[in-house]
Amino acid sequence: MPSHRGIAGPVAHRAVAHRAVALGAVALGALMLSACSYTEAATPKSDHYLATQPDSGPSGGEIEDGLNVADTHMPALARLDSALLAALQMAAADARLSGVDVHVTSGWRSAAYQQRLFDEAVAKYGSVDEASKWVHSPSLSKHVSGQAVDIGPTDADDWLIQHGSDYGLCQTYANEMWHFELATTPGGECPPQRNNPSDERAEG
């Protein structure tokens, strides 16, 4: 009877080689994912992180006119926290039944765009402390993390102030009636408002 050792040997060798190649590919993929995760996790304070993000235009989250809550193809809405966006869309649908149109005047912002807004506020108000009463730095901004929206017009702000907690939406700063965050559970009680964004900066 002929021996199969001469055949089995090379076949087994090739199987081991193929497995080694596959494992190498998996390891390379994991390394690439690791590198991507590191880049994405870079702090908004990083000069490199700021330099790689647009600071103007739709790709940086800038909105020329108010967006309809259904305009989810725009980065300002597409990059919002999904739970916040869903709550906002439900609230807007109910507000419309009351004759109130809800528009997003600012949603997600790139870190670079937020830095530009902060720099402009410092120039306008004359100091970092005064600017911080109206605009956060990128490292603190809930807009950069996709966890805040600014709403307009005024009647929409009024409607959300009265009914937003039914959806978990709360006005979080007393001096910004347009700024809302998902700060409670639907039907829950909104937390006490901070006087302005600088209160949050002081807590940090």
Side-chain angles (χ1 to χ4, degrees), residues 2-159:
S3 171
H4 293 286
R5 288 182 183 176
I7 298 173
V11 170
H13 179 74
R14 285 198 298 272
V16 169
H18 288 162
R19 186 176 179 190
V21 169
L23 289 174
V26 170
L28 179 60
L31 183 61
M32 291 174 67
L33 283 174
S34 238
C36 289
S37 298
Y38 177 79
T39 301
E40 291 172 357
T43 170
K45 293 179 182 177
S46 162
D47 289 340
H48 172 72
Y49 183 78
L50 293 176
T52 59
Q53 293 203 330
D55 74 344
S56 62
S59 59
E62 193 166 3
I63 298 173
E64 286 189 18
D65 300 308
L67 295 178
N68 185 288
V69 295
D71 292 333
T72 53
H73 62 287
M74 299 294 287
L77 293 185
R79 300 191 68 171
L80 283 177
D81 173 77
S82 58
L84 170 60
L85 179 59
L88 182 61
Q89 289 174 329
M90 287 189 287
D94 289 345
R96 194 174 301 113
L97 296 176
S98 302
V100 177
D101 288 327
V102 173
H103 292 102
V104 177
T105 59
S106 191
W108 167 83
R109 301 171 186 157
S110 72
Y113 176 33
Q114 185 69 28
Q115 184 66 53
R116 175 161 64 86
L117 294 177
F118 185 71
D119 292 342
E120 289 171 355
V122 172
K124 177 179 179 179
Y125 295 107
S127 72
V128 167
D129 287 342
E130 286 302 310
S132 296
K133 293 178 181 179
W134 299 99
V135 183
H136 267 317
S137 63
S139 61
L140 291 176
S141 175
K142 295 292 182 65
H143 285 283
V144 172
S145 63
Q147 296 175 310
V149 289
D150 292 347
I151 299 298
T154 303
D155 61 341
D157 297 329
D158 288 334
W159 193 92

